[in-house]
Amino acid sequence: MSTNKVKIEIYGADIICASCVNSPSSKDTYEWLQAAIGRKYPEQPFEIEYIDIESDLTDAKQKEIAEQVLNDEFFYPLVIIADEVIGEGHIQLKPVFTALEKHGYVAQS
């Protein structure tokens, strides 16, 4: 069971991206992932952060990634776990869970 707190970043915007019509919004994706991860890995700490790509970001790394999304290098929502891109656009749980388990998370049955 992981005791390390893995950082999960969700980059997105209020407006649903043009190619993501009928997909959940970035904020909905963030809330959905937060709930799903909490259920699958109870009592295993993780840090999840929603980053609005259109806000005034002060963190240089986050600003750089947000600019890449704004320049269409990535679709949003963009999910990054421990500095590794896990998914973009239509997010699925399996790659997220696989990435967490690589960091020592153990699913509770």
Side-chain angles (χ1 to χ4, degrees), residues 37-108:
I37 294 166
R39 274 194 307 272
K40 188 152 178 104
Y41 308 101
E43 297 167 39
Q44 295 173 74
F46 63 93
E47 180 184 341
I48 187 165
E49 183 179 1
Y50 176 76
I51 297 132
D52 186 337
I53 59 172
E54 295 171 331
S55 67
D56 192 17
L57 298 169
T58 52
D59 182 289
K61 195 165 149 211
Q62 290 180 351
K63 191 174 192 156
E64 182 184 331
I65 294 168
E67 283 171 8
Q68 289 178 305
V69 175
L70 288 166
N71 292 332
D72 296 330
E73 292 174 49
F74 292 112
F75 289 116
Y76 64 87
L78 172 67
V79 176
I80 296 179
I81 297 178
D83 299 322
E84 181 186 349
V85 173
I86 302 304
E88 55 181 311
H90 185 72
I91 304 302
Q92 297 182 325
L93 286 175
K94 191 169 174 51
V96 171
F97 291 161
T98 300
L100 289 170
E101 289 169 9
K102 274 194 338 200
H103 290 281
Y105 284 71
V106 177
Q108 300 299 299

Side-chain angles (χ1 to χ4, degrees), residues 8-21:
I8 304 161
E9 296 173 308
I10 319 287
Y11 289 82
D14 289 340
I15 298 158
I16 293 175
C17 79
S19 61
C20 307
V21 175

